Amino acid sequence: MPVKIRLQRHGKKGKPFYWIVAADSRAKRDGKYLEKLGAYNPNTNPATIDLDVDGAVKWLENGAQPTDTAKAILSYKGALLKKHLAGGVKKGALTEEQAEAKFNAWLEEKAAKVQAKAEGLSKADADAKAKALEAEKAVNEARIAANAPVVEEEVAEEETASNEEE
């Protein structure tokens, strides 16, 4: 029974939401699965990924093969790195503490990158809003300026008309 770590689609049309599952490769895409490992929501920016890293590593060590997309997600969350470090511990190249320290350092670095992206997106959004506000102000000022001379001309015409009458 070959096991695959793959995505199981949920959500409505046009708004996909995926579960990351370990399933028999012969099972249907959205069918029976052995264990739910997490969730993936590509609708947010950056994408929201909730993953049980230890459960994924357990399945990988037992021979489960991830699909291409699942492999990218596992790599993004560090499950493949943790499996690699666990292999180093088994071979004696690292101690458990060293492997855990390397993994935690990687997690902190990754969290900083994700936070920087989120801040960049929020800053870009704020800049776009400020630009739109400036453009709207310019349009309003132009509209006011276009209407203001008409009023002044009418007043000047009325004064000349009243001066002519006298």
Side-chain angles (χ1 to χ4, degrees), residues 155-166:
V155 171
E157 289 175 9
E158 289 177 10
E159 289 179 4
T160 56
S162 63
N163 288 339
E164 291 174 1
E165 289 177 6
E166 296 175 1

Side-chain angles (χ1 to χ4, degrees), residues 3 13 33-34 61 73 80 91 93 95 117 131 154-155:
V3 175
K13 183 168 44 170
Y33 60 90
L34 301 170
E61 287 177 343
I73 291 171
L80 296 179
K91 291 179 180 178
T95 64
K117 181 179 181 185
K131 228 180 222 184
E154 290 176 3
V155 171

Side-chain angles (χ1 to χ4, degrees), residues 5-34:
I5 296 177
R6 64 185 184 199
L7 301 180
Q8 195 176 64
R9 193 181 198 283
H10 293 274
K12 62 183 185 178
K13 183 168 44 170
K15 297 285 186 181
F17 183 84
Y18 299 96
W19 286 357
I20 303 165
V21 297
D24 184 348
S25 64
R26 297 168 291 184
K28 295 179 182 177
R29 178 192 74 175
D30 299 338
K32 192 172 169 184
Y33 60 90
L34 301 170

Side-chain angles (χ1 to χ4, degrees), residues 39-97:
Y40 167 57
N41 184 2
N43 298 318
T44 60
N45 191 5
T48 306
I49 302 172
D50 177 36
L51 181 68
D52 175 19
V53 176
D54 294 327
V57 170
K58 180 190 79 165
W59 279 106
L60 290 169
E61 287 177 343
N62 288 333
Q65 294 297 314
T67 60
D68 293 338
T69 306
K71 187 174 185 177
I73 291 171
L74 293 175
S75 176
Y76 181 82
K77 291 304 274 186
L80 296 179
L81 175 65
K82 194 163 189 173
K83 178 186 179 274
H84 175 74
L85 292 172
V89 170
K90 285 181 185 174
K91 291 179 180 178
L94 297 168
T95 64
E96 188 68 37
E97 293 79 27

